[in-house]
Amino acid sequence: MSERSERTIRHSSVASRGVGVTGSTEGPGGSPERLHRLAVATLDGNWEHDHTVPSRTLYPHQWSWDSAFIAIGLAHVRPERAWRELESLFHAQWTDGRVPHIVFNPRLPVGAYFPGPEFWGSAGAEGAPAAATSGIIQPPVHALAAWLAYRRAPSDAARAALRRLYPRLVAQQHYLGTRRDVGGGGLACIVHPWESGLDNSPAWDTPMAAVAADVAVMRAYRRHDTTHAHAAHRPTDLDYARYVAIVASYREDGYRDGGLAGRHPFLVECPLFNAASGAAEHALARIAPLAGADPGPHRERAARITEALVRRLYDPAAGTFQPRDLRTGRLVPARTVLGLAPLILPDLPARQIETVVAEARSARFGVAPRMDRPLPSYDRTAPDFEPLRYWRGPSWMNINWLIRRGLLTHGRDALAAGLGRSMVELVATAGCHEYFHPDTGAGLGSPAFGWTAALLLDLLADAREPAGAG
Ligand code: 2M8
């Protein structure tokens, strides 16, 4: 029996011994052809006129970083859709360069998602597009996605799309490097946990605890997530009261960024967000010549971001990167998977590569050439590790994909291969779930999830003809 089928069976039997409501374990099995078919069917099923929804039930609109990951997968099977996915998102870019984290589908009924367009009220904000959107952003993985989509399926149409996107990607970076450099140290600041993409990560517990909110405020709203997902897996009502309070603070000032330092309740420099921004500049340096532009300024900005990340977010005692809470000036001590993300930067200094790879290999995260268990989103040795709750333990395909890319970038091929195999096994065992139990591999959250399917396609293609991290 092959190592993979042995491990798949072990995952299944562990899972079937009683995950019950905690997860689904019905997967398509391990054949690459079956997995490929499942991934394509999932993406086709989630396609919605000009974009792919993350999930038909839980997230029925267009999400920003989901679209980027989805475009990477679409490039393997439906390249024209990959470009429509990115172009429809950037069509909703604000005039200041921000790319909203949600673009709402006007065809859906009010209440299809909370908080919906009526809550965000983007129409009243200066520089907002015609489409209803949220007013916040997500990690800028789009330039990297555009570059990878182009490299996977280069064509005249792809080159034309890349040229159209280039100035918009540059504007996105300009927004981050100017209006969002609230700390003045060369890094972009996030103004809401939702901007990190790892909404409920323990990394945000300390900054969130300082946000004044009354849980009673949630009586005025109807949460949509807990009707589609298990309440015990999702953020609490108090978390949501704080999420709402932070948006309200930003919205009341018309989503303006001037003066945020003096008035906004949540201001954090996140290692993953800024690593994505550095990787975006590296990708733009590759794209620029195709768009008739000079790659030099992108290389310079990439170098400045890496330098700032090391200076501001690397903790030498912990040997990893940590978010900085700008309201207190302190690094957040929780060891989350966010700290490993700077590995995606090709110019990360040797010292940081070495210690962050050691952190990835430690019992906290367990990355190995042969992985016993999936990569968790949070230190599995921490007393508050929660294997079932959203971003507080479970394993996620997009984060694993980023970390695998980082390992390949720095020549850690055996570790990257181990992580890649464990990712394929997750889907083979449980299907294209939103996230996975970090011990059993059981599927959790939404069952037909966009980026899981898309990044599986990327992995399967890489197994056929390794593209490396170039
Ligand atoms: C989750 O975030 C949304 C809010 O943006 C939610 O919890 O309702 C996160 O996993 C985020 O990273 C993701 O982009 C989004 C859609 O998949 O869902």
Side-chain angles (χ1 to χ4, degrees):
M1 188 185 293
S2 74
E3 184 196 322
R4 176 180 295 170
S5 48
E6 230 173 50
R7 288 168 54 77
T8 301
I9 288 167
R10 190 167 53 74
H11 269 319
S12 312
S13 58
V14 170
S16 62
R17 279 202 302 271
V19 284
V21 295
T22 64
S24 153
T25 58
E26 281 165 40
S31 128
E33 293 72 28
R34 292 182 71 186
L35 289 173
H36 191 274
R37 278 199 299 278
L38 172 75
V40 175
T42 302
L43 289 176
D44 283 350
N46 288 10
W47 177 254
E48 179 62 48
H49 68 281
D50 63 0
H51 66 274
T52 310
V53 296
S55 149
R56 286 271 167 208
T57 52
L58 209 46
Y59 313 108
H61 300 283
Q62 181 174 28
W63 258 260
S64 168
W65 80 329
D66 297 64
S67 278
F69 291 121
I70 287 166
I72 292 169
L74 284 176
H76 294 280
V77 289
R78 312 249 187 271
E80 71 297 341
R81 279 194 187 173
W83 298 109
R84 283 182 77 191
E85 182 85 41
L86 289 171
E87 292 202 273
S88 63
L89 176 69
F90 276 82
H91 194 65
Q93 186 170 33
W94 291 35
T95 55
D96 61 10
R98 87 183 69 193
V99 177
H101 103 295
I102 304 175
V103 183
F104 291 104
N105 179 352
R107 301 174 197 184
L108 291 182
V110 173
Y113 176 77
F114 174 79
E118 64 294 340
F119 178 83
W120 292 96
S122 64
E126 196 188 320
T133 74
S134 70
I136 61 170
I137 55 180
Q138 274 189 324
V141 285
H142 314 81
L144 176 61
W147 170 244
L148 294 179
Y150 174 75
R151 205 188 51 170
R152 175 56 59 178
S155 65
D156 288 347
R159 193 167 302 116
L162 200 55
R163 282 208 197 104
R164 285 193 299 274
L165 272 173
Y166 176 76
R168 292 181 173 267
L169 292 164
V170 171
Q172 177 187 30
Q173 288 298 109
H174 183 71
Y175 171 73
L176 299 177
T178 54
R179 298 184 189 218
R180 283 303 188 87
D181 186 2
V182 176
L187 294 181
C189 158
I190 59 170
V191 303
H192 196 293
W194 286 336
E195 293 202 318
S196 73
L198 278 70
D199 309 0
N200 198 25
S201 169
W204 317 132
D205 288 357
T206 316
M208 278 277 277
V211 175
D214 180 357
V215 72
V217 84
M218 290 309 293
R219 288 200 209 118
Y221 303 109
R222 189 155 172 270
R223 280 179 68 173
H224 163 86
D225 58 329
T226 40
T227 60
H228 292 283
H230 205 288
H233 301 183
R234 295 285 307 177
T236 64
D237 270 358
L238 180 57
D239 293 325
Y240 259 80
R242 291 191 167 119
Y243 295 152
V244 162
I246 302 170
V247 173
S249 152
Y250 200 29
R251 186 187 57 208
E252 273 148 30
D253 259 300
Y255 299 110
R256 270 185 286 275
D257 295 310
L260 277 176
R263 65 178 152 85
H264 195 68
F266 184 97
L267 296 166
V268 176
E269 290 174 350
C270 166
L272 185 148
F273 194 100
N274 282 285
S277 179
E281 292 294 350
H282 284 286
L284 286 170
R286 311 288 285 273
I287 297 170
L290 293 162
D294 178 6
H298 295 301
R299 290 201 197 101
E300 283 155 26
R301 278 196 288 275
R304 284 206 294 275
I305 291 170
T306 301
E307 181 278 323
L309 252 168
V310 171
R311 176 167 40 82
R312 289 178 71 81
L313 304 189
Y314 181 70
D315 179 350
T320 190
F321 288 83
Q322 280 158 333
R324 184 176 293 279
D325 183 348
L326 290 183
R327 288 177 53 92
T328 62
R330 284 199 285 274
L331 291 180
V332 173
R335 286 176 185 256
T336 69
V337 78
L338 292 164
L340 311 182
L343 283 176
I344 61 171
L345 295 170
D347 50 357
L348 195 65
R351 171 89 193 121
Q352 278 71 33
I353 298 171
E354 195 190 307
T355 61
V356 175
V357 169
E359 172 78 353
R361 300 189 68 158
S362 73
R364 286 185 280 278
F365 294 102
V367 173
R370 286 166 200 278
M371 307 253 305
D372 285 341
R373 292 177 289 183
L375 172 69
S377 44
Y378 181 40
D379 172 2
R380 62 165 80 248
T381 68
D384 55 346
F385 177 75
E386 288 188 74
L388 294 174
R389 203 185 287 274
Y390 215 61
W391 294 113
R392 302 183 75 87
S395 185
W396 296 73
M397 196 73 148
N398 66 332
I399 298 300
N400 293 16
W401 182 90
L402 285 168
I403 306 303
R404 176 178 176 271
R405 183 173 170 81
L407 293 167
L408 285 173
T409 300
H410 300 293
R412 303 309 203 268
D413 293 10
L415 293 177
L419 185 53
R421 269 195 298 275
S422 107
M423 292 161 72
V424 173
E425 280 174 20
L426 286 175
V427 183
T429 307
C432 282
H433 269 268
E434 181 183 0
Y435 50 101
F436 302 88
H437 193 292
D439 296 325
T440 66
L444 301 168
S446 189
F449 197 69
W451 76 40
T452 303
L455 297 174
L456 174 68
L457 286 177
D458 195 55
L459 274 176
L460 293 174
D462 226 17
R464 285 196 306 272
E465 44 172 301

